[in-house]
Amino acid sequence: MRSRTMATVGAAALALSALLPGASASASPPATTSSAATTSSVAAPAVRAAAPDIPLANVKAHLSQLQTIATSNGGNRAHGRPGFRASIDFVKGKLDAAGFQTAVQSFSYNGATGYNLIADWPGGDVNNTLMVGAHLDSVTAGPGINDNGSGSAANLEVALAVAREGYKPARHLRFGWWGAEELGLIGSTHYVETLPSAERSKIKGYLNFDMVGSPNPGYFAYDGDGSSGGGGPAGSAEIERVLRAHFATINVPVEDTAFDGRSDYGPFIDYGIAAGGLFTGAEGRKTSAQAQKWGGQAGVAYDRCYHARCDTTTNINDPALDRNADAIAYTVWTLAGGTQVLDEPRAAANRAAA
Ligand code: DPN
Ligand code: ZN
Ligand code: CA
């Protein structure tokens, strides 16, 4: 966790804010520390919203819930198993209570019904939608807490922070929790392919978080700008730049990872939608150079429990999960623009009650 003020949001955010009507980033006090807006007799000014710190304890509480769901449903949260449906219902319940508009999309695969959960935050420019996703299914071997309870729980807490902060993004915000990723990106592919093309073309960016709490973590961003070869649809370079910017402020070096479609952003980039995401590593082994800059164990897998029974709540590196959750919030707030609408006492009360 960390605190952030407007002074540290970076040139990119300030440049973006300059394009937004009503924004006055350079003149406004920090949205999360000011009392000026509340003591003034005039209506609260449109303060460009700074990303909140995402409480690690909240993200970990979601992971504990997912672990309990797996434990009471045969040890996993896999496609076609009761633990997956229970995971969908758990996330949906949190989002409904926070004011999201949720929908469960069903699909059929391998003789079983699968589900995607789609959650829209009301408001913003729907013709310029930013989508944020994670796969919620595990493999059958284990509870899937790092893969991908971590991305699912971090995104859930960022979504809840959107509501808590009274965030009014300039762009429309939509979150997705995918089914059957482990069987070949089935749920996300179903979602993208069955969207009417007019709706698909309104999605101008997709952020994907799959494994963001690996126990021997690396800090990777999908190579959207092609600086390591490849690259993605137009706009992906900008997404990579914003994803990296948070880590620069906390002095954590970031490496590229292949932008090759090995997670749920694949179907989005297949349709030319700009995308990006973060990753802390799976079966690959940390090099000695990486252990020197990031700490951890050289010659050991980033996640020794990848797709295994031991991918439990103990298979999480807390600083990695915390930094990635904060980076997700920073990226959402930076790319979506907009203002904070709750007065600060209400936002503070919401944070305290969370
Ligand atoms: N797609 C991930 C899985 O669910 O197994 C692993 C992965 C994520 C690999 C991101 C590379 C990059
Ligand atoms: Zn997996
Ligand atoms: Ca790159």
Side-chain angles (χ1 to χ4, degrees), residues 31-316:
T32 55
T33 57
S34 169
S35 60
T38 63
T39 54
S40 164
S41 57
V42 299
V47 176
R48 200 194 78 76
D53 183 273
I54 299 301
L56 175 64
N58 293 10
V59 182
K60 293 197 75 175
H62 303 323
L63 288 179
S64 292
Q65 293 288 311
L66 293 174
Q67 176 72 62
T68 298
I69 286 168
T71 302
S72 44
N73 286 283
N76 67 62
R77 302 181 301 102
H79 171 70
R81 307 294 182 92
F84 181 69
R85 178 68 214 215
S87 298
I88 288 276
D89 292 343
F90 161 66
V91 176
K92 182 176 186 297
K94 293 276 186 188
L95 294 164
D96 286 340
F100 280 80
Q101 288 175 353
T102 62
V104 176
Q105 177 183 46
S106 306
F107 58 90
S108 178
Y109 187 73
N110 262 0
T113 302
Y115 307 97
N116 294 322
L117 172 63
I118 307 299
D120 284 89
W121 181 240
D125 180 3
V126 291
N127 292 313
N128 189 4
T129 293
L130 178 65
M131 191 160 186
V132 185
H135 78 86
L136 187 56
D137 63 311
S138 72
V139 292
T140 55
I145 297 303
N146 186 38
D147 182 14
N148 183 32
S150 61
S152 292
N155 284 0
L156 172 58
E157 189 57 27
V158 169
L160 297 178
V162 164
R164 213 151 56 214
E165 297 282 322
Y167 180 31
K168 192 171 184 184
R171 299 170 69 177
H172 182 67
L173 264 183
R174 180 177 299 151
F175 291 82
W177 284 264
W178 312 120
E181 186 269 355
E182 299 291 3
L183 303 178
L185 318 181
I186 307 301
S188 55
T189 300
H190 178 82
Y191 174 76
V192 172
E193 290 188 348
T194 59
L195 262 189
S197 61
E199 291 305 309
R200 200 162 45 223
S201 64
K202 295 175 183 173
I203 302 175
K204 305 298 190 194
Y206 173 70
L207 306 175
N208 191 69
F209 302 100
D210 185 358
M211 305 181 73
V212 293
S214 303
N216 186 32
Y219 292 88
F220 299 103
Y222 303 159
D223 185 25
D225 65 8
S227 63
S228 302
S236 304
E238 162 77 357
I239 292 174
E240 182 188 346
R241 198 176 58 69
V242 177
L243 285 163
R244 285 171 168 271
H246 171 75
F247 291 96
T249 69
I250 58 172
N251 293 311
V252 173
V254 174
E255 290 188 11
D256 280 330
T257 192
F259 198 43
D260 58 3
R262 199 185 150 184
S263 188
D264 296 296
Y265 61 90
F268 288 84
I269 63 176
D270 284 350
Y271 278 93
I273 297 169
L278 299 169
F279 178 51
T280 53
E283 76 281 9
R285 288 172 190 232
K286 188 176 280 188
T287 66
S288 49
Q290 290 172 335
Q292 280 193 9
K293 64 180 172 182
W294 289 327
Q297 293 178 274
V300 173
Y302 303 109
D303 183 356
R304 272 185 289 189
C305 291
Y306 177 60
H307 286 185
R309 183 179 172 144
C310 57
D311 186 9
T312 65
T313 47
T314 62
N315 191 44
I316 290 288

